[in-house]
Amino acid sequence: MESLRKDLGASFKNVVIDENDGAVTVVVQSEKLQRSEAASIIAKVSTSLNVSAGSVLVKYLP
């Protein structure tokens, strides 16, 4: 998970990843989050952590 956090950290100021019972919440610090960026995050997380894309929630905070 640390490598995933570093990978996402290259694009966002702060990144928090919380995994709980197969559901993953990713919070990034960004003024805006485009749909394409959220889709990319979901793809990376689902591949790296071997969870379904539907189990990944992405949030952003300014």
Side-chain angles (χ1 to χ4, degrees), residues 1 3 5 19 21 23 26 28 33 35 38 40-43 53 57:
M1 191 176 316
S3 64
R5 189 175 291 115
E19 188 175 11
D21 292 330
V26 180
V28 296
L33 186 68
R35 286 184 185 192
S40 176
I41 291 170
I42 291 169
L57 175 64

Side-chain angles (χ1 to χ4, degrees), residues 13-33:
K13 189 172 182 178
N14 290 304
V15 178
V16 175
I17 302 172
D18 181 48
E19 188 175 11
N20 190 8
D21 292 330
V24 181
T25 302
V26 180
V27 182
V28 296
Q29 185 176 4
S30 177
E31 287 300 317
K32 293 182 180 179
L33 186 68

